[in-house]
Amino acid sequence: MIKAGIVGGTGYTGAELLRLLVAHPEVEVVTITSRSADGQRVDEVLPNLRSRTHLTFSRPSVERLKECDVVFFATPHGTAMRSAAETLAAGVRVIDLSADFRLRDPVRWQQWYGEPHCCPEILSKSVYGLPEIFRDAIRSAELVANPGCYPTAVLLGLLPLVEGRVVDTSHLIASASSGVSGAGRKAQINTLLCEVAENYRAYGLTGHRHSPEIEQILAQSAGEDVRLTFVPHLIPMIRGLHATLFARLHHDTIDLQALFEARYAGEVCVEVLPPGSHPDTRSLRGTNRCRIAVHRPTGRDVVVVLTAIDNLVKGAAGQAVQNMNLMFGLDEALGLNDIALFP
Amino acid sequence: MIKAGIVGGTGYTGAELLRLLVAHPEVEVVTITSRSADGQRVDEVLPNLRSRTHLTFSRPSVERLKECDVVFFATPHGTAMRSAAETLAAGVRVIDLSADFRLRDPVRWQQWYGEPHCCPEILSKSVYGLPEIFRDAIRSAELVANPGCYPTAVLLGLLPLVEGRVVDTSHLIASASSGVSGAGRKAQINTLLCEVAENYRAYGLTGHRHSPEIEQILAQSAGEDVRLTFVPHLIPMIRGLHATLFARLHHDTIDLQALFEARYAGEVCVEVLPPGSHPDTRSLRGTNRCRIAVHRPTGRDVVVVLTAIDNLVKGAAGQAVQNMNLMFGLDEALGLNDIALFP
Amino acid sequence: MIKAGIVGGTGYTGAELLRLLVAHPEVEVVTITSRSADGQRVDEVLPNLRSRTHLTFSRPSVERLKECDVVFFATPHGTAMRSAAETLAAGVRVIDLSADFRLRDPVRWQQWYGEPHCCPEILSKSVYGLPEIFRDAIRSAELVANPGCYPTAVLLGLLPLVEGRVVDTSHLIASASSGVSGAGRKAQINTLLCEVAENYRAYGLTGHRHSPEIEQILAQSAGEDVRLTFVPHLIPMIRGLHATLFARLHHDTIDLQALFEARYAGEVCVEVLPPGSHPDTRSLRGTNRCRIAVHRPTGRDVVVVLTAIDNLVKGAAGQAVQNMNLMFGLDEALGLNDIALFP
Amino acid sequence: MIKAGIVGGTGYTGAELLRLLVAHPEVEVVTITSRSADGQRVDEVLPNLRSRTHLTFSRPSVERLKECDVVFFATPHGTAMRSAAETLAAGVRVIDLSADFRLRDPVRWQQWYGEPHCCPEILSKSVYGLPEIFRDAIRSAELVANPGCYPTAVLLGLLPLVEGRVVDTSHLIASASSGVSGAGRKAQINTLLCEVAENYRAYGLTGHRHSPEIEQILAQSAGEDVRLTFVPHLIPMIRGLHATLFARLHHDTIDLQALFEARYAGEVCVEVLPPGSHPDTRSLRGTNRCRIAVHRPTGRDVVVVLTAIDNLVKGAAGQAVQNMNLMFGLDEALGLNDIALFP
């Protein structure tokens, strides 16, 4: 059994990670930390886990983390980078679900997160945890930077186009929408039900932190600079993330459906839907799948790609477990086979 | 492997049954019928099952049902009673999720369902599928009448009081509320999102078909006539059912918490929560659990019981699987261990 | 024009009051206070008011309140009682939407609100602002204690029964449910969309502050002690409050429909629906109406009353305007004629 | 008083029209038709209108329509074109909220609606009812084709760019999302709450009927052919429509904010928000306003325009009333001054 620790267990990402790990056949969660819930039983704070775990939240302690085989950071940015060095030095592998190790350039990190990166030498060792691109590197990684939710959905939708060099990368467009759980479990007014229910709006148009993360990986895949216009929106629902992606085609004759099917052949967590499909988010709730549909409006030199994920699973905790499975030589989808509820 | 058939697989109850049976380690679904979806792949109609089943919907056929070990009817009332005799005669066990075999008295059935019961002789053989009362009879039953969603939540909350003879059974009150999935998957205006979202109301006060079902079982458990005032309401959400139950106490000194804990000691699908609790429906989504809290308002000779279930699981498909497990000598909760999503 | 001031303008009640007063033909809002939004334009904080008001939030100032004809307190409990004396002394009439002046007994107030009442001498002058009972006293009141949302819906449903002495007042039951806006606009986790959407549960069973308020008025109307079991629940929606009320009848022969119609004949804000009705909350959104339906289940000595209101209007801000209209000799429903959106 | 008739009064658009006209100071609704509700009181079918109207639904009758000054068609496509000629011939002005008169080219209409247009000679007389472009023609029009909801939001957002010739019109992109009321009040499965709540998806990518309508008007405004990629999505909420529009800029130096403010100076139903804004749909519920924000992502030759409306008001019934006001020489916004509920 893999001994796992979770740092930051009371947020939505930490809670989802716990749900997955408690049911994972090869994992034992040995420690879960939370400053706010220190001393409380996990199943009191998270009643969905009643009778499923005897864990108690504890204060963060490096000593206890050192006893783990793998530690997940499900914390706000700025926490993991301060603890990762010591944890890694003890031979513990780290999967960081926050943004601390996603941008390879510490200068860029500082621009977007407003403080200097505290361990650029570790940053250079981190592997970006999108298995559909970096599977081999993840297997042997000590430190995995788990992707953000928007980047996961946008990258999986654009990669075949960018890698295949079939679109104009100077003008990529991503109009994406997320359920409210993406905003986290924080005492704040602007995600109260009364503020977001029966409402829809864009946000972050003046600069969203997921933009540089997406562009970095796209540029790497394209082998050239890439310009993406990224607009996130908030949907009045709990879970689910949908990206509608637009690009201008270089070539009129490319078989886009075949391109996508070939790119994701053999991938267990990505499904290219039949032509004419529209993936919906609800069919993916609780699952670690990304569904993709490719459209080419008649008479246009434009491709429209639709992608859907559960932002807390393939967009966060599930992808972290997928990465853990790879790092420990397990079946990649082990413990990730839930069927979404319908309805 | 148990060979299972589902009659009526495109409704919400049938779809939920399919979700549970597809993942059940001891069951193989061999046939699933639907007149409307005849010939269509199941995973096209139910995209949450994509890559999880190769089944195709077919028209109802008694020949195919006869090849099963157990057949589930997830049909509107009036269907199962017309097919059950032939199915049972072939040695197939039947679990009916509709109302056809719930009321023991065919006269009463006719009063509430507006047509004569077509097979009263079979009705007399049916066992009411609430394992927490009729477990032994269910084990050997050929025909199980799976309880309605409201009856499950109301009965589990009132049983300890009625069996314990601690309340005035001439004045029991059940104010219950259900998510919209309880109304089924029918082309109709009154459960459109635009009709039920941002709305809450009572319905069926002039007579709801679950009333006689509840009173029948309560009377049997009490050994005397019982009078229940039952008011259902519609909640603007998909799944979940909550009952708030009121009764007047005979005795001032009874330890209600102990009464409930003793009654449900050992039950795997019923949890009596600690004193002062308020069960919520969301922690039970997708699970086959009923959670119960018992309250006694200060200075009142009144007991208030709160119960919560997922109407499609413990209130329908999950309870049907629980009954099947009992009928086939399996662990009662096999295949029913999902953890609810949070959030 | 009546010069009105609002203390506490950024909560949901204050915002609703502002919506109503900005459109009221006989009112000019001259000051609106908010510590948190001091200096901000009202229509920036409340974008539904863009181009409808030029007001700016200011810090609370007794000097500015003294220039008003009427001041509304839309503050948490404990604020109005500290400012009311000085405001009233300046000849300004006060309508308090908080709980500070609702309980006539300062000892009882302290029991429920955890601190001594700071001005019991003013408390004795206050009038409970339910026009359907206290209309005449309200007309000449200097200080009106605007009722809570649950009390409004529960009282209007039980009054005809209690005044008419047709039910057992030792065993009244109110199972009520409210939209989330009733919990206010506070930075807190437990009313985030992700916590309350797709969920339904009871709360406050160990004692809700609206209980003593309801019992006080019922006892006064009944002329005897009254015992009410009150269970509130939270509905996953923004606005709307529904009460399902149960009582045992003394007399078998009473015409309940006629009793209710007679009691509310001439009332402009209360509608007794035809027999067999189920009021829904959505038809009342934004309106100052209470709708009531009376049911008598067949063969039972029980009456079930269903009432519905918009918790922010007839349950708060609208009722405050209704009271203001009475206090200033205006038509009682002036400025309260909005038609609810459908859907 | 203007005598108004409504054909098709039980759909969401008809009901919204009725809400607006019942409260309109210069209109008397004299007839409202519905085949399905013939003979029923309007306020029984639409309980939000209880005590606000004494109308009764009747079967469609040209004789009764001829007594009106104006007739609104709130019917599915194919109905208005069959009745318009006779109604117009009687000197009655017609506002058609369906698609029958929106496309100027009957060949194009047949391509998209699957049957020949039955009165192309009348089609040529119709005026497209977007007052912000065709105000003068609307004033004297006999027949107004009220725009669709998506076209209203997309056109108002793109017009300043297209008229100003500042963008590449061969590659315009509209990613738009609508609440479920846009799908109408039909007995169907795919807009049940259980199908659309907690879900988000695109639809109609293989061709949405609002595309040719948008392109026709854009081409006319641009004086050249225009290519738009239009992707609609369904939001799990009742009302509200949001468009996120992307275009590539020809010129780097244009002041986009000034361009939009100048274009809509003096418009009473369009508000250009301050730079950096994100319009939300909820602040517009029940109002006839369109809010617009213009963004230019740093370092990109791209403009992003965000527009929001209430799909049933500025996207349907409210715009129809705005057109009626113009046709009858009234103040353009008369009867359209509701303030949106918050929250």
Side-chain angles (χ1 to χ4, degrees):
Chain A
M1 298 289 273
I2 300 166
K3 289 183 193 163
I6 300 175
V7 181
T10 51
Y12 293 140
T13 302
E16 184 68 357
L17 197 51
L18 196 55
R19 177 181 76 86
L20 294 171
L21 294 180
V22 159
H24 193 290
E26 296 291 336
V27 172
E28 181 192 9
V29 180
V30 295
T31 186
I32 179 159
T33 79
S34 163
R35 288 177 199 278
S36 61
D38 179 33
Q40 284 190 268
R41 288 171 51 122
V42 164
D43 65 357
E44 275 173 13
V45 177
L46 302 170
N48 62 326
L49 293 174
R50 240 185 95 86
S51 79
R52 299 304 288 265
T53 177
H54 297 297
L55 285 167
T56 297
F57 287 107
S58 57
R59 298 184 63 78
S61 139
V62 174
E63 290 318 304
R64 299 192 63 175
L65 297 182
K66 284 181 181 171
E67 295 161 17
C68 298
D69 299 310
V70 61
V71 167
F72 296 87
F73 284 90
T75 44
H77 68 85
T79 299
M81 72 178 182
R82 291 192 169 76
S83 309
E86 200 176 352
T87 313
L88 289 166
V92 181
R93 295 168 94 171
V94 169
I95 299 173
D96 177 24
L97 287 82
S98 84
D100 285 5
F101 298 103
R102 291 180 191 158
L103 299 184
R104 304 209 64 75
D105 178 356
V107 175
R108 200 118 209 256
W109 198 91
Q110 180 168 357
Q111 281 169 357
W112 284 90
Y113 292 91
E115 56 170 326
H117 199 285
C118 78
C119 51
E121 71 290 355
I122 294 181
L123 183 57
S124 65
K125 287 201 239 172
S126 78
V127 175
Y128 191 73
L130 194 64
E132 290 76 12
I133 310 183
F134 300 107
R135 180 169 287 111
D136 286 341
I138 292 165
R139 285 194 220 272
S140 55
E142 290 171 36
L143 169 61
V144 165
N146 211 59
C149 49
Y150 284 119
T152 297
V154 173
L155 288 170
L156 291 174
L158 289 178
L159 277 176
L161 301 173
V162 164
E163 291 172 355
R165 302 184 176 238
V166 299
V167 294
D168 176 0
T169 55
S170 75
H171 186 48
L172 300 173
I173 287 172
S175 180
S177 300
S178 172
V180 183
S181 60
R185 195 186 200 192
K186 291 188 287 273
Q188 59 181 8
I189 284 174
N190 63 3
T191 52
L192 296 180
L193 178 132
C194 291
E195 304 289 320
V196 291
E198 286 295 312
N199 196 18
Y200 182 83
R201 67 179 190 93
Y203 64 100
L205 250 170
T206 48
H208 189 286
R209 283 165 171 168
H210 284 176
S211 289
E213 181 182 337
I214 301 171
E215 289 189 331
Q216 167 184 281
I217 305 298
L218 285 180
Q220 190 174 340
S221 298
E224 62 178 348
D225 245 31
V226 160
R227 291 192 162 195
L228 173 78
T229 303
F230 169 58
V231 182
H233 305 73
L234 201 57
I235 316 171
M237 64 184 199
I238 299 171
R239 287 176 181 237
L241 190 152
H242 184 282
T244 306
L245 309 163
F246 303 85
R248 213 152 181 181
L249 289 164
H250 285 320
H251 308 293
D252 242 20
T253 53
I254 188 87
D255 180 340
L256 293 167
Q257 182 73 24
L259 178 75
F260 274 73
E261 289 183 359
R263 175 59 180 84
Y264 293 120
E267 288 295 343
V268 291
C269 298
V270 177
E271 299 176 34
V272 178
L273 300 183
S277 300
H278 303 86
D280 57 5
T281 61
R282 70 166 172 164
S283 303
L284 297 166
R285 272 177 299 179
T287 79
N288 196 52
R289 310 229 151 187
C290 177
R291 288 192 177 158
I292 303 180
V294 196
H295 288 263
R296 173 134 179 226
T298 319
R300 298 279 190 280
D301 58 348
V302 173
V303 53
V304 181
V305 183
L306 309 173
T307 66
I309 59 171
D310 182 324
N311 56 302
L312 292 179
V313 192
K314 184 61 177 166
Q319 188 143 266
V321 172
Q322 187 182 356
N323 284 321
M324 180 201 73
N325 286 338
L326 287 168
M327 291 162 85
F328 288 85
L330 303 173
D331 178 78
E332 188 169 340
L334 192 66
L336 296 170
N337 288 312
D338 286 336
I339 301 175
L341 296 187
F342 168 80
Chain B
M1 296 291 272
I2 301 165
K3 289 184 193 162
I6 300 175
V7 182
T10 51
Y12 293 140
T13 302
E16 183 68 357
L17 198 51
L18 196 54
R19 177 182 75 86
L20 294 171
L21 293 180
V22 159
H24 193 290
E26 296 291 336
V27 173
E28 182 192 7
V29 179
V30 294
T31 185
I32 179 159
T33 78
S34 163
R35 287 179 199 278
S36 61
D38 178 32
Q40 284 190 268
R41 289 171 51 123
V42 165
D43 65 357
E44 274 173 13
V45 177
L46 301 170
N48 62 325
L49 294 174
R50 239 184 95 87
S51 78
R52 299 303 290 264
T53 178
H54 298 297
L55 286 167
T56 297
F57 288 107
S58 57
R59 297 186 63 79
S61 138
V62 175
E63 290 318 304
R64 299 192 63 175
L65 297 182
K66 284 181 179 170
E67 295 162 15
C68 299
D69 300 308
V70 61
V71 167
F72 296 87
F73 284 89
T75 43
H77 68 85
T79 299
M81 71 179 185
R82 290 192 169 76
S83 308
E86 200 176 350
T87 314
L88 288 166
V92 181
R93 296 168 93 171
V94 169
I95 300 174
D96 177 23
L97 287 81
S98 85
D100 285 5
F101 298 103
R102 291 180 191 159
L103 299 184
R104 303 208 65 75
D105 178 356
V107 175
R108 199 117 210 257
W109 197 89
Q110 181 167 357
Q111 281 169 357
W112 285 91
Y113 292 91
E115 57 171 325
H117 198 286
C118 77
C119 51
E121 71 291 354
I122 295 181
L123 183 57
S124 65
K125 286 202 239 171
S126 78
V127 174
Y128 191 73
L130 194 64
E132 291 76 13
I133 310 184
F134 300 108
R135 182 169 286 112
D136 285 341
I138 293 164
R139 285 193 220 272
S140 55
E142 289 171 36
L143 169 59
V144 165
N146 212 58
C149 49
Y150 285 119
T152 297
V154 172
L155 288 170
L156 290 174
L158 290 177
L159 276 175
L161 301 173
V162 164
E163 291 173 355
R165 302 186 177 237
V166 300
V167 294
D168 176 1
T169 54
S170 75
H171 187 48
L172 300 172
I173 288 172
S175 180
S177 300
S178 172
V180 182
S181 60
R185 194 186 201 192
K186 290 188 287 273
Q188 58 181 8
I189 284 175
N190 63 3
T191 52
L192 296 180
L193 178 132
C194 291
E195 303 290 319
V196 290
E198 286 294 311
N199 195 19
Y200 182 84
R201 66 180 191 93
Y203 65 99
L205 250 170
T206 48
H208 189 286
R209 283 165 171 168
H210 285 175
S211 289
E213 181 181 338
I214 301 171
E215 289 189 331
Q216 166 184 282
I217 305 298
L218 285 180
Q220 189 173 339
S221 299
E224 63 178 348
D225 245 33
V226 159
R227 290 192 163 195
L228 173 78
T229 303
F230 168 59
V231 182
H233 305 74
L234 202 58
I235 316 171
M237 63 185 200
I238 299 170
R239 286 176 182 238
L241 189 153
H242 184 281
T244 306
L245 309 164
F246 304 85
R248 211 153 183 182
L249 290 164
H250 284 320
H251 308 292
D252 242 20
T253 53
I254 188 86
D255 180 340
L256 294 167
Q257 181 74 22
L259 179 75
F260 274 73
E261 289 182 359
R263 175 62 181 82
Y264 293 120
E267 288 295 345
V268 292
C269 297
V270 178
E271 300 176 34
V272 179
L273 300 183
S277 300
H278 301 87
D280 57 6
T281 60
R282 69 165 171 163
S283 304
L284 298 166
R285 271 177 299 179
T287 80
N288 196 51
R289 311 229 151 187
C290 177
R291 288 192 177 158
I292 304 181
V294 196
H295 288 262
R296 172 131 180 230
T298 319
R300 298 281 190 280
D301 58 347
V302 173
V303 53
V304 181
V305 183
L306 310 173
T307 66
I309 60 171
D310 182 324
N311 55 301
L312 292 179
V313 192
K314 183 62 177 166
Q319 187 143 266
V321 173
Q322 187 182 358
N323 284 321
M324 180 201 73
N325 286 338
L326 287 168
M327 292 162 86
F328 288 84
L330 303 174
D331 177 79
E332 188 169 340
L334 192 66
L336 296 170
N337 289 312
D338 286 337
I339 301 175
L341 295 188
F342 168 80
Chain C
M1 296 291 271
I2 301 166
K3 290 184 192 162
I6 300 175
V7 181
T10 51
Y12 293 140
T13 303
E16 183 68 356
L17 197 51
L18 197 55
R19 178 182 75 87
L20 294 171
L21 294 180
V22 159
H24 194 290
E26 296 292 334
V27 173
E28 183 193 7
V29 179
V30 294
T31 187
I32 180 159
T33 79
S34 163
R35 287 177 200 279
S36 61
D38 179 32
Q40 284 189 267
R41 289 172 50 123
V42 164
D43 65 357
E44 275 173 12
V45 177
L46 302 170
N48 62 325
L49 293 174
R50 238 183 97 86
S51 79
R52 299 303 289 264
T53 177
H54 298 297
L55 284 167
T56 297
F57 287 107
S58 58
R59 297 185 64 78
S61 139
V62 175
E63 290 318 304
R64 299 192 63 176
L65 298 182
K66 284 181 181 171
E67 294 162 16
C68 299
D69 298 310
V70 60
V71 166
F72 296 87
F73 283 89
T75 44
H77 69 85
T79 300
M81 71 178 184
R82 289 189 172 77
S83 309
E86 200 175 351
T87 313
L88 288 166
V92 181
R93 296 169 94 173
V94 169
I95 299 173
D96 177 25
L97 286 83
S98 85
D100 285 5
F101 298 102
R102 290 180 191 158
L103 299 184
R104 304 207 63 75
D105 178 356
V107 175
R108 201 117 210 257
W109 198 90
Q110 180 168 356
Q111 281 169 357
W112 284 91
Y113 292 91
E115 57 170 326
H117 199 286
C118 78
C119 51
E121 71 290 356
I122 293 180
L123 182 56
S124 65
K125 286 201 240 172
S126 78
V127 174
Y128 191 73
L130 194 64
E132 291 77 12
I133 310 183
F134 301 107
R135 181 169 287 112
D136 286 339
I138 292 165
R139 285 194 220 272
S140 55
E142 290 171 34
L143 169 60
V144 165
N146 211 58
C149 49
Y150 284 119
T152 297
V154 173
L155 288 170
L156 290 174
L158 290 177
L159 277 176
L161 301 173
V162 164
E163 291 173 354
R165 301 183 176 241
V166 299
V167 295
D168 175 2
T169 55
S170 76
H171 187 48
L172 300 174
I173 287 171
S175 181
S177 299
S178 172
V180 182
S181 60
R185 195 185 201 191
K186 291 188 287 273
Q188 58 181 8
I189 284 175
N190 63 2
T191 52
L192 296 179
L193 178 132
C194 291
E195 304 289 319
V196 291
E198 285 296 311
N199 195 19
Y200 183 83
R201 67 180 191 94
Y203 64 100
L205 250 170
T206 48
H208 189 285
R209 284 165 170 169
H210 285 176
S211 289
E213 182 182 338
I214 301 171
E215 289 190 330
Q216 166 185 282
I217 305 297
L218 285 180
Q220 189 173 339
S221 298
E224 62 177 350
D225 246 32
V226 160
R227 290 190 163 198
L228 173 78
T229 303
F230 169 59
V231 182
H233 305 73
L234 202 58
I235 317 171
M237 65 185 197
I238 299 171
R239 286 176 181 237
L241 190 152
H242 184 281
T244 306
L245 309 164
F246 303 86
R248 211 151 183 184
L249 288 164
H250 284 319
H251 307 293
D252 242 22
T253 54
I254 188 84
D255 180 340
L256 293 167
Q257 182 74 22
L259 178 75
F260 274 73
E261 289 182 359
R263 176 59 180 84
Y264 294 120
E267 288 294 345
V268 292
C269 298
V270 178
E271 299 175 34
V272 178
L273 300 182
S277 300
H278 303 87
D280 57 6
T281 60
R282 70 166 173 162
S283 303
L284 297 166
R285 271 177 299 179
T287 80
N288 197 52
R289 311 228 151 188
C290 176
R291 287 191 177 158
I292 303 181
V294 196
H295 289 262
R296 174 136 179 224
T298 318
R300 299 281 192 278
D301 58 347
V302 173
V303 53
V304 181
V305 184
L306 310 172
T307 66
I309 59 171
D310 182 323
N311 56 302
L312 292 178
V313 192
K314 184 62 177 165
Q319 188 143 265
V321 173
Q322 187 181 358
N323 284 320
M324 180 202 71
N325 287 339
L326 287 168
M327 292 162 85
F328 288 84
L330 304 173
D331 178 78
E332 189 169 338
L334 192 66
L336 296 170
N337 289 311
D338 286 337
I339 301 175
L341 296 187
F342 168 80
Chain D
M1 296 290 272
I2 300 165
K3 289 185 193 160
I6 301 175
V7 182
T10 50
Y12 293 141
T13 302
E16 184 68 356
L17 197 52
L18 196 54
R19 177 182 75 87
L20 294 171
L21 294 180
V22 159
H24 193 290
E26 296 291 337
V27 173
E28 183 192 8
V29 179
V30 294
T31 187
I32 179 158
T33 79
S34 162
R35 285 177 201 280
S36 61
D38 179 33
Q40 284 189 268
R41 289 171 51 120
V42 164
D43 65 357
E44 275 173 12
V45 177
L46 301 170
N48 62 326
L49 293 175
R50 239 184 95 87
S51 78
R52 300 302 289 265
T53 178
H54 298 297
L55 285 167
T56 297
F57 287 108
S58 57
R59 297 185 63 79
S61 140
V62 174
E63 290 317 304
R64 298 191 65 175
L65 298 181
K66 285 180 180 172
E67 294 162 16
C68 300
D69 299 309
V70 61
V71 166
F72 296 88
F73 284 89
T75 43
H77 68 86
T79 299
M81 71 179 184
R82 290 191 170 76
S83 309
E86 200 175 351
T87 313
L88 289 166
V92 181
R93 296 168 93 173
V94 169
I95 300 174
D96 177 24
L97 287 82
S98 85
D100 285 5
F101 298 103
R102 291 181 191 157
L103 299 184
R104 303 208 64 75
D105 178 356
V107 176
R108 200 117 212 255
W109 198 90
Q110 180 168 355
Q111 281 169 357
W112 284 91
Y113 292 91
E115 56 170 326
H117 199 286
C118 77
C119 51
E121 71 291 354
I122 294 181
L123 183 57
S124 65
K125 286 201 241 172
S126 78
V127 175
Y128 191 72
L130 194 64
E132 291 76 12
I133 310 184
F134 301 107
R135 182 169 286 112
D136 286 341
I138 293 166
R139 285 193 221 273
S140 55
E142 288 172 36
L143 169 59
V144 165
N146 212 58
C149 50
Y150 285 118
T152 298
V154 172
L155 288 170
L156 290 175
L158 290 177
L159 276 176
L161 301 172
V162 164
E163 291 172 354
R165 302 183 175 241
V166 299
V167 294
D168 176 1
T169 55
S170 75
H171 187 48
L172 300 173
I173 288 171
S175 180
S177 300
S178 172
V180 182
S181 59
R185 194 184 201 192
K186 291 187 287 271
Q188 58 181 7
I189 284 176
N190 62 4
T191 51
L192 296 179
L193 178 133
C194 292
E195 303 289 319
V196 291
E198 286 295 312
N199 195 18
Y200 182 84
R201 66 181 190 93
Y203 64 100
L205 250 170
T206 47
H208 189 286
R209 284 165 172 168
H210 284 175
S211 289
E213 182 182 338
I214 301 171
E215 290 190 331
Q216 166 183 282
I217 305 297
L218 285 180
Q220 190 173 339
S221 298
E224 62 177 349
D225 245 33
V226 160
R227 290 191 163 196
L228 173 78
T229 303
F230 169 59
V231 182
H233 305 74
L234 202 58
I235 317 171
M237 64 184 198
I238 300 170
R239 285 176 182 237
L241 189 153
H242 184 282
T244 305
L245 309 164
F246 303 85
R248 211 152 183 184
L249 289 163
H250 284 319
H251 307 293
D252 242 21
T253 53
I254 188 87
D255 179 340
L256 294 166
Q257 181 73 21
L259 178 75
F260 274 72
E261 289 183 0
R263 175 61 180 83
Y264 293 120
E267 288 294 346
V268 292
C269 298
V270 177
E271 299 175 34
V272 179
L273 299 183
S277 299
H278 302 87
D280 57 7
T281 61
R282 70 166 173 162
S283 303
L284 298 167
R285 271 177 299 179
T287 80
N288 196 52
R289 310 227 151 189
C290 176
R291 288 192 177 157
I292 304 181
V294 195
H295 288 262
R296 173 135 179 226
T298 319
R300 299 280 191 278
D301 58 347
V302 173
V303 53
V304 181
V305 183
L306 311 173
T307 67
I309 59 171
D310 181 324
N311 55 302
L312 292 179
V313 192
K314 184 62 176 165
Q319 189 143 265
V321 173
Q322 187 182 358
N323 284 321
M324 180 202 72
N325 287 339
L326 287 168
M327 292 162 86
F328 288 85
L330 303 174
D331 178 79
E332 189 169 338
L334 192 66
L336 295 169
N337 289 310
D338 286 337
I339 301 175
L341 295 187
F342 168 81

